[in-house]
């Protein structure tokens, strides 16, 4: 059974940092490391939007313009689990949202669209106070 479980969300002041984690299990390592893993976010009354993606091995990494230079996506393997991280620095109030971890294949729809991803986590809330 595929599971993506996010953690690390919380309340932080503007300018602060948070590190989100996503534990992915239930598929082979290569399914995750050779495919696409990404982070999306959804603020209240807004559509879900792409944040960052890491694709294949060696990894190709992509960011939304709004987070480039402030967020860093990374991936690590451990026993039976692939971990996806999102280090978020210099947080702004507009970064507040529910953040979702997602996993998909190598090709198909564009990496910045939800259609690329077959599996999603339950989301973790990030709140940024001004």
């Amino acid at each position: 059974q595929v599971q993506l479980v996010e953690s690390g969300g919380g309340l932080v002041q503007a300018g602060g940092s948070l590190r989100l984690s996503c534990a992915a299990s239930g598929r082979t390592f290569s399914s995750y490391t050779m495919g696409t893993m990404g982070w999306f976010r959804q603020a209240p009354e807004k559509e879900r939007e792409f944040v960052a993606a890491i694709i294949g091995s060696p990894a190709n990494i992509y960011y939304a313009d709004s987070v480039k230079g402030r967020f860093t996506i990374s991936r690590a393997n451990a026993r039976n689990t692939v971990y996806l991280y999102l280090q978020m620095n210099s947080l702004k109030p507009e970064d507040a949202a529910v953040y979702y971890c997602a996993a998909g294949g190598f090709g198909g729809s564009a990496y910045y669209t939800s259609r690329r991803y077959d599996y999603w986590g339950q989301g973790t809330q990030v709140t940024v106070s001004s």
Side-chain angles (χ1 to χ4, degrees):
Q1 181 181 357
V2 176
Q3 280 191 314
L4 301 177
V5 181
E6 300 102 333
S7 60
L11 172 63
V12 64
Q13 286 189 330
S17 298
L18 279 175
R19 188 192 195 207
L20 304 185
S21 299
C22 171
S25 60
R27 301 167 79 199
T28 62
F29 276 161
S30 62
S31 297
Y32 291 115
T33 59
M34 297 306 295
T36 306
M37 298 188 78
W39 290 96
F40 285 71
R41 65 187 182 186
Q42 187 167 17
E45 300 182 357
K46 291 189 176 181
E47 293 188 354
R48 188 172 298 188
E49 65 173 1
F50 168 76
V51 175
I54 183 167
I55 305 172
S57 181
N60 290 302
I61 290 176
Y62 304 92
Y63 297 100
D65 287 343
S66 59
V67 306
K68 203 171 292 183
R70 300 187 298 121
F71 290 12
T72 302
I73 187 172
S74 60
R75 186 181 63 202
N77 299 343
R79 182 179 179 183
N80 296 327
T81 302
V82 172
Y83 292 92
L84 186 70
Y85 301 104
L86 187 68
Q87 177 66 43
M88 305 186 295
N89 299 328
S90 302
L91 282 162
K92 305 175 181 179
E94 52 263 42
D95 293 319
V98 177
Y99 282 70
Y100 296 91
C101 168
F106 182 80
S109 300
Y111 63 85
Y112 49 84
T113 65
S114 299
R115 291 187 301 274
R116 176 70 165 250
Y117 302 85
D118 301 308
Y119 306 100
W120 294 82
Q122 82 288 351
T124 186
Q125 178 71 52
V126 171
T127 303
V128 184
S129 62
S130 56

